[in-house]
Amino acid sequence: MNRSIARRLALMFALVALFVFTLIGTGLFLVLRTQLEHHLRESLDDRTQIARIIVYHAVTPEKWRMAREKLTDMTPHDGSTVYSVSSMEPAFNYGKPVDGPVVKDWPGGYARVSPPGGGQDMLTVTQTIPAYGTRPPVQLQVASSYSPNVRTMRVFGSALAALSALGSLAVLLLSYSVTRLGLQPLTRLTRDASAVSPNNRSQRLNTASLPLELNDLANSFNGALERLDGAYGRLESFNADVAHELRTPVTILIGQTEVALTRNRSVDDLRHTLQSNLEEFERMRAIINDMLFLARADQGERATGLIELSLAAEVAHTLEFLEIPLEEARVEATLHGDAQARVNRSLFGRACANLLMNAIQHCEPGATISVTIARDDEQVRVAVANPGEPIAPDVLEHLFDRFYRAEVSRTNSRENHGLGLAIVKAIAEMHRGTVSAQSERGINTFAFSVAVAQTGNGAQREMTRVNAGTTAAGGDAAYSSLAKGKSA
């Protein structure tokens, strides 16, 4: 069950207010009780002083009778104050002393006594008055009841509890209203976020009027929308490119099959048709395998099965494999430099083959392709350079995108399906490396790097599980056919 933030905050504010009110009320209650008891002592001292003067001057039986009458007049009818005088001579006794368990006593003869018959506790003070005249020494006890204090404390406590409850309720209601008012920017932010849809991907949250606490959240959300919009756009473009690339061989297959079925054909004609269809099927298989490979790479998989290799030896092996394409294109290849790194042999060879085939297809006969291996800190860079037409900077930054072909600046683009360089980028990222492209002074250089030290992860899926045809062929249709010719 979803809970309202405003209600939760209001309830927490109310609980905090109740806690504060309770602390303040407890403090006031204790202060009031102390003050009332202090006033009770002062009142008891005043009454004791008066009673002492009266008893002290009762030096004869006649004066003692007058003292008794004065003490009786001073005694309230409700019994809140009690006077008693005790002496060895019964004639000088007055009243009955308050007796019972002592709850608490203080210096100066003060004691809080709980009467045995029930009722409120009494605060008593006892003083000895020495003999004077014919009066023997006596003990004067004055007692005052705690009843007024108890009634006052009871009323005060009830009022304090009621006011605390009402104050907490008021805080609950007011804080709920204030919290809802304060959460209006969040409500507006939620409304703006709910308006974002696939048909309105360009809409972003308005951060101009948001509070500081929500500004970072809105900016993060806008950043996520930007990334999702870019990914969605790339996905749309990717789907369109895939449909376009697959539609061409499918159309060719359908057309050739329909032509073959229009009339009776000889065995040689049918064999030629099937051979042509097989080439289109190979092209479709290459596209599908490359798409699956890139999809696995997009899931964040890293290369596994890493071994320490001499990269120059691996590049030399790839150059040997591409001997026939190099001879047919009438170009040469040179290798410079070497470095050791932990790589997946098949994936590294595939990346090198794709870069070399890209250079072979886009350089003139008689040119020389230069392969350079160099180490830069924790990265090893493999660069393939070939002479060719200059490439515009806005084209360079997209050459490693999927299905991208700069048909204006590049030639032979129809022989490829535009995934060769994208696979190079995926392999570099799987080895924690990067890719780059440069075009300067008539030399076009495409490069990728791999990390020198790789860390394997057993939880990652095995990326060496690559189709043998796509591993050797590099995912490009033209290179696939050349690889088949080489193996034959």
Side-chain angles (χ1 to χ4, degrees), residues 42 188 190 198 212 233 237 256 285 357 422 428 437 480-481 485-486:
E42 289 182 346
R188 185 174 66 253
T190 304
L212 181 62
S237 177
Q256 291 179 348
R285 184 180 67 174
M357 282 304 303
S480 179
S481 61
K486 174 67 178 176

Side-chain angles (χ1 to χ4, degrees), residues 4 9 56 86-87 191 392 468:
S4 170
L9 290 176
Y56 182 79
S86 302
S87 175
R191 184 171 58 251

Side-chain angles (χ1 to χ4, degrees), residues 304-349:
T304 57
L306 307 176
I307 55 177
E308 189 80 18
L309 293 175
S310 168
L311 300 189
E314 293 302 312
V315 175
H317 177 72
T318 304
L319 289 173
E320 181 184 356
F321 184 83
L322 296 177
E323 181 180 351
I324 292 178
L326 288 169
E327 291 179 356
E328 291 181 351
R330 290 180 296 172
V331 297
E332 296 182 355
T334 60
L335 176 60
H336 309 278
D338 190 13
Q340 296 283 331
R342 290 178 55 81
V343 297
N344 180 290
R345 172 173 285 172
S346 61
L347 295 179
F348 180 80

Side-chain angles (χ1 to χ4, degrees), residues 19 56 110 130 138 147 233 290 294 359 373 384 396 425 464 471 484:
F19 177 74
Y56 182 79
Y110 297 98
V138 297
S147 296
D290 289 346
L294 292 173
I373 302 174
V384 178
L396 284 174
K425 181 180 179 180
T464 58
T471 303
K484 286 202 309 179

Side-chain angles (χ1 to χ4, degrees), residues 326 329-334 359-360 362-370 385-388 442-443:
L326 288 169
R330 290 180 296 172
V331 297
E332 296 182 355
T334 60
I360 293 172
H362 299 98
C363 66
E364 298 296 331
T368 299
I369 299 174
S370 176
N386 65 278
I443 301 297

Side-chain angles (χ1 to χ4, degrees), residues 448-474:
F448 75 98
S449 65
V450 296
V452 175
Q454 301 279 344
T455 56
N457 187 348
Q460 295 171 341
R461 281 175 284 185
E462 182 64 45
M463 287 303 298
T464 58
R465 184 170 44 85
V466 182
N467 184 283
T470 57
T471 303

Side-chain angles (χ1 to χ4, degrees), residues 218-230:
N219 288 332
S220 300
F221 190 81
N222 284 338
L225 290 179
E226 289 287 349
R227 294 188 293 272
L228 289 175
D229 188 22

